[in-house]
Amino acid sequence: MTHSPATQQYKEKQAGDLRPGDFVFPPGDGPAEEIATVEVENDDYGVAALLLVTMVDGGTLRIAVGSSVPVGDGVPVDSDGSVSSAVDESTPDSSTSDSSTPAGGDADAPAGPAVVVPPRPETPPTYTGPSAEELALIPEPDGTPEAVVRAAAANHKGKNGVQVLADRLAKGINTKSGSCLRDLSNLAFDLCIVLRDPDHALAVADLLNVLPFDGNLDRWASIERALALSSFICREAGQTERAAVYEKLLRAPESQEEDPFKARINARVRQRSLNEPNLYDKEIFRAIDNGNHEAEREWRFLRLEALMFLRAHGGSKTIDEDELARRIGNELESVRA
């Protein structure tokens, strides 16, 4: 007979709480099956949407993240509550049977079915933040944040983009404001990439680099951009120790998830984004086909940022650091042309 959830002991569990080793009832009337691995697939907005669950026997289930699913202990029971005859709970009599010999059999009898052990869940790498000595490699700002911005802009009279950003920031810098952080990040990029002024770019970026990750991903995006740019500037200048500090700060969010399961899922999703980065190929080719040089330049600027972010992470499984350095050089030439 088959054993559906109705004839087995089961309970419901949130899909997001499923872990390797759990027994889940697939759709239909089959018995509960043991989970080997759980992977998360994101939707087009980067939000976890679907779990891909692989069973020990190789079968797979696709489960929406917000679903509740029936899980059991893997031991089917009949409708009257007794243990199913399909499961043998008898134990050998130690007085009449050798512990190494199956009950009722001999030493030459074939062994029972092998027990399949699911693979251990992937443990995400542990990242530690920079030490106090390492943080000391980032210099204190020369004056107030507003003074740093004014000094950077003073070297580039007549450059409207920089002057507009600097004038807005010089009125008062509020590090709690997401728009203010974006302006600082944009100013640092313009100074470095467009105006070839890495020293002032780094001074402006350092106003962001020392801000901690507070869980607000919108604000963190601007800080993350500044950290990746700073790592690039320092590595180009041979300041590898200082670059390493920025790279450790860039990974701050990766070490703050305390739940081991969520940390593994986050690490898997993050690695996939590093291995399959959006480098805006379609958008760039479309702009080229349309002869829209300004749009092409803007998309290449975004590609350059993505490449710098990858390089600050030490590359990925698909693009190593040497290849990243080559591609960054190509994009720099393109956006500066």
Side-chain angles (χ1 to χ4, degrees):
M1 64 178 292
T2 58
H3 301 277
S4 66
T7 60
Q8 302 187 63
Q9 295 176 338
Y10 80 99
K11 60 183 178 181
E12 289 195 337
K13 192 170 187 177
Q14 284 296 113
D17 292 332
L18 292 175
R19 289 167 170 75
D22 286 345
F23 284 81
V24 63
F25 292 99
D29 295 327
E33 297 181 19
E34 187 174 1
I35 294 174
T37 61
V38 179
E39 293 187 41
V40 174
E41 293 184 358
N42 286 0
D43 63 16
D44 290 341
Y45 293 94
V47 178
L50 201 65
L51 296 179
L52 182 61
V53 178
T54 303
M55 304 303 180
V56 167
D57 66 1
T60 59
L61 286 176
R62 298 165 73 245
I63 307 172
V65 168
S67 297
S68 294
V69 294
V71 297
D73 57 9
V75 180
V77 297
D78 290 327
S79 56
D80 62 359
S82 62
V83 177
S84 168
S85 59
V87 179
D88 183 7
E89 287 199 332
S90 62
T91 57
D93 185 346
S94 59
S95 63
T96 61
S97 172
D98 186 275
S99 61
S100 63
T101 304
D106 56 48
D108 295 325
V115 177
V116 180
V117 180
R120 287 180 61 85
E122 180 182 346
T123 301
T126 301
Y127 296 109
T128 56
S131 64
E133 292 77 11
E134 290 173 321
L135 285 172
L137 294 173
I138 302 177
E140 293 290 330
D142 187 10
T144 64
E146 292 79 8
V148 171
V149 167
R150 283 193 293 267
N155 279 12
H156 304 286
K157 300 292 186 183
K159 302 297 182 181
N160 289 339
V162 166
Q163 294 303 324
V164 168
L165 286 171
D167 289 345
R168 190 157 61 222
L169 289 165
K171 295 175 182 177
I173 293 175
N174 176 11
T175 56
K176 298 295 184 182
S177 165
S179 61
C180 182
L181 298 188
R182 281 193 295 275
D183 283 347
L184 281 169
S185 180
N186 287 336
L187 178 58
F189 264 89
D190 283 352
L191 287 166
C192 178
I193 307 305
V194 180
L195 301 178
R196 307 182 189 227
D197 185 356
D199 292 338
H200 282 106
L202 191 56
V204 171
D206 275 341
L207 300 176
L208 293 170
N209 293 335
V210 295
L211 300 177
F213 174 66
D214 62 1
N216 186 319
L217 295 178
D218 184 56
R219 293 178 67 252
W220 179 250
S222 296
I223 301 170
E224 195 174 57
R225 288 178 73 215
L227 287 164
L229 176 69
S230 301
S231 167
F232 167 75
I233 291 172
C234 288
R235 290 206 174 275
E236 291 296 295
Q239 301 179 39
T240 55
E241 290 185 357
R242 184 172 172 183
V245 176
Y246 295 125
E247 290 155 13
K248 285 186 177 182
L249 291 170
L250 182 68
R251 293 177 171 179
E254 302 176 23
S255 60
Q256 294 193 8
E257 177 56 64
E258 296 181 356
D259 182 276
F261 176 71
K262 291 181 179 178
R264 287 195 298 272
I265 295 300
N266 291 345
R268 195 170 296 168
V269 171
R270 184 166 50 249
Q271 188 60 53
R272 179 177 296 176
S273 70
L274 293 172
N275 292 342
E276 304 171 11
N278 182 5
L279 298 179
Y280 308 98
D281 294 333
K282 293 180 180 178
E283 293 84 354
I284 291 172
F285 289 137
R286 187 182 302 119
I288 293 173
D289 290 341
N290 295 334
N292 190 336
H293 300 301
E294 185 58 32
E296 179 191 348
R297 183 174 181 272
E298 291 299 320
W299 288 118
R300 286 189 180 278
F301 209 107
L302 290 174
R303 177 192 274 178
L304 178 60
E305 291 182 23
L307 291 170
M308 286 182 176
F309 176 81
L310 283 172
R311 189 181 183 188
H313 264 270
S316 70
K317 294 179 180 178
T318 54
I319 312 177
D320 62 27
E321 288 191 72
D322 290 340
E323 175 63 12
L324 282 171
R326 186 189 68 80
R327 293 193 187 190
I328 288 172
N330 289 343
E331 296 307 318
L332 279 172
E333 289 184 13
S334 296
V335 299
R336 287 171 171 173

